[in-house]
Amino acid sequence: MTVYFIGAGPGAADLITVRGLRRLESSPVCLYAGSLVPRELLESCPAGARLVDTANLTLDEIVAELAAAHTKGVDVARLHSGDPSVFSAVAEQMRRLDVLGVPYEVVPGVPAFAAAAAALGRELTVPGVGQTVILTRTSARATPMPDGEDLTTLGASRATMVLHLAVQRIDAVVAELLPSYGADCPVAVVARASRADEVVLRGTLTDIAAQVHEAGIRRTAVIVVGRALLATQFPDSHLYSAERERSCDGT
C-alpha cells in the first residue's frame, strides 16, 4: 500500500492536479483536513471508501489510521489543503511513517499564495522591482518562529512577502513591517482564495488592518506585501527579448 499526501489546492475543487485526483479516485481510505478541503473532492473517492476528518484528531490518531490501512494493504489518500511543501504538517507524519516502514508519495498541489496572486491578477516577481518572494508566518499560538525569522529581520530585504496563518495578527504584522516597507507600501489580503466566497482587500500598510477588521477576516487568508503588487513601470524581462540569443530549437 501507499499513503498519498495530496495537495488538494487552495479551495476550488477543480484546482487539484490530475495526478492528485487519480490517486484520490483509487484509494479506499481518505483522510482529509476538515473545512479546509472542498467537500466536492470527497465525491471522487471510491464507493464505500473510509472517510476520516482529521480536524479534531491528534498526530498519534492520524498515524494510527495510516498504520491500520497499511496493515490491511489498502492505499490512503491523505488530503491537505494547498500544497504539502509549506505549512502542511506533512513532515511530522512522514517522519512517523519512516519509523513504521510505511511507504508514501507526495503529490504537489496549488499553494494558497499562487491562488492569491491569481485573484489579484499580479505576478509576484517583477523585473527591476522584486525577484524574491518570502513565504512565512508569525508566532501566536502556533510553534514559535526560529531565531532570525521574525518579520523585522525578514522585512529588511523589502522582498515581496506572503504571510500565511497571520491575518489574526494583522495589527502586529503592520507594526513590524512599517519600518522596512514604508506606510505607502501596497498590501493585499486574500481570504478563501479561489472559492466562491473569496474576499480580496487591497490597500497599504496604513489602512489594510482597518479593512481586515471591518471585513471580519480571521482565518483562511494570506497577506501579500510588496511593491510588485502595483508595479507598472518596469523593464521587460530578458526571457522574450528580441536581443536574446536563441538556438534553432527555440530554447
Side-chain angles (χ1 to χ4, degrees), residues 24-32 39 41-42 44-54 57 61-70 72 74-79:
L24 181 62
E25 291 172 337
S26 63
S27 297
V29 177
C30 174
L31 276 65
Y32 63 98
R39 300 290 299 185
L41 280 181
L42 301 181
S44 298
C45 295
R50 175 171 171 75
L51 305 179
V52 181
D53 184 351
T54 60
L57 299 186
E61 291 169 331
I62 292 171
V63 173
E65 288 282 353
L66 302 179
H70 176 65
K72 295 178 181 178
V74 296
D75 291 340
V76 178
R78 177 67 173 106
L79 283 175

Side-chain angles (χ1 to χ4, degrees), residues 208-224:
I208 196 65
Q211 291 190 50
V212 168
H213 294 313
E214 183 177 355
I217 298 173
R218 297 188 56 79
R219 63 190 301 271
T220 322
V222 296
I223 305 168
V224 186

Side-chain angles (χ1 to χ4, degrees), residues 15 20 38 57 60 86 95 101 168-169 182 195 230 232-233 239:
L15 283 181
L57 299 186
D60 287 341
V86 290
R95 179 172 60 185
Q168 289 187 357
R169 300 187 67 245
R195 302 184 187 185
L230 289 182
T232 57
Q233 302 300 315
L239 179 62

